[in-house]
Amino acid sequence: MNFEQARFNMVEQQIRTWEVLDQGVLDLLFTVHREDFVPATHRALAFADLEIPLGDGERMWTPKMEARVLQELELKPEETALEIGTGSGYLTALLALSCSEVTSVEIIPRLHAEARGKLAANGIRNVRLEQGDGARGWGSESYDAVVLTGSTPLLPESWLKLLKPGGRLFAVVGDPPVMAARLLRWSAPGAIVSEDLFETVIAPLRNAPQPERFAF
């Protein structure tokens, strides 16, 4: 398989057509080799427009979603990011090459260990990998960007408290069959600007907070 041709086709046919035109983001898609992060049994599908299974019920985002979210976050070299749900480690790598440091949390021990190995093999060293449940928040540090890679029916206020002034948070909020890919920005003390970017459906974070369900 010609990986370089497949990578080029992915960028031209999937990424650019999904309003991802930031040259820095496009360049990263050539720098970080996606085929190094997908399971070996699915390597031939590394550039396909689908959610590749990772096992344990988890899946990678599609390439266009990874690129679009990276563009929307507008990370700067001096900034820090928090990722909830390391998964394959591919988005982690893209984030790491866009800012100074990434903290990434994964609840599944196997995925946590595999991502550590893949990131090390690709020379990504500015990532702090944590193993645990981050569905309701993580620690008390603040970040310039926060990304939830699984959906959540509710977005607790606690997440917004992790943002530095000017910080951005990306989350997919809601229940199937329609969820909103939402970007929230810290604009002033106590003021958050929210923008729904597109509709999608992705698997929920394990142990994500649930709304009260009324029984009749």
Side-chain angles (χ1 to χ4, degrees):
M1 179 176 177
N2 186 334
F3 284 121
E4 293 311 313
Q5 185 61 51
R7 196 181 336 276
F8 177 83
N9 292 345
M10 176 190 75
V11 170
E12 294 300 313
Q13 297 169 13
Q14 298 175 45
I15 310 299
R16 286 185 182 273
T17 57
W18 224 49
E19 301 177 30
V20 180
L21 301 173
D22 182 286
Q23 193 58 50
V25 171
L26 297 176
D27 288 345
L28 276 181
L29 301 179
F30 288 97
T31 300
V32 183
H33 289 178
R34 198 170 195 268
E35 67 272 20
D36 292 344
F37 291 87
V38 304
T41 52
H42 298 305
R43 206 161 187 249
L45 299 174
F47 309 103
D49 184 18
L50 51 79
E51 295 182 343
I52 295 175
L54 297 173
D56 294 292
E58 303 300 315
R59 293 176 176 272
M60 293 179 73
W61 281 356
T62 61
K64 64 186 181 187
M65 185 157 166
E66 293 160 341
R68 177 72 181 274
V69 171
L70 191 64
Q71 175 176 270
E72 297 291 347
L73 289 173
E74 298 179 327
L75 284 165
K76 300 177 180 62
E78 70 276 10
E79 292 185 325
T80 60
L82 170 67
E83 177 188 40
I84 301 299
T86 311
S88 70
Y90 176 67
L91 181 61
T92 318
L94 295 176
L95 293 168
L97 292 180
S98 303
C99 66
S100 66
E101 184 182 58
V102 176
T103 299
S104 186
V105 183
E106 175 55 56
I107 193 171
I108 299 173
R110 177 184 62 82
L111 292 180
H112 168 77
E114 289 178 359
R116 182 180 297 281
K118 291 171 183 176
L119 290 164
N122 280 267
I124 309 292
R125 315 216 178 275
N126 59 327
V127 175
R128 185 172 60 188
L129 291 173
E130 304 279 2
Q131 202 261 304
D133 184 357
R136 296 168 186 264
W138 189 261
S140 58
E141 291 185 42
S142 55
Y143 302 87
D144 299 289
V146 177
V147 183
L148 310 187
T149 64
S151 64
T152 180
L154 300 172
L155 191 62
E157 188 83 11
S158 57
W159 283 113
L160 303 177
K161 295 178 181 178
L162 296 180
L163 293 179
K164 292 181 179 179
R168 292 82 66 201
L169 184 149
F170 176 85
V172 175
V173 183
D175 291 301
V178 178
M179 302 177 182
R182 186 168 298 165
L183 185 71
L184 299 99
R185 294 178 182 272
W186 188 106
S187 62
I192 299 290
V193 176
S194 176
E195 177 187 4
D196 285 357
L197 303 172
F198 51 87
E199 292 183 351
T200 188
V201 175
I202 62 172
L205 288 171
R206 296 192 181 196
N207 304 322
Q210 300 290 323
E212 291 186 14
R213 311 287 184 181
F214 293 99
F216 296 96

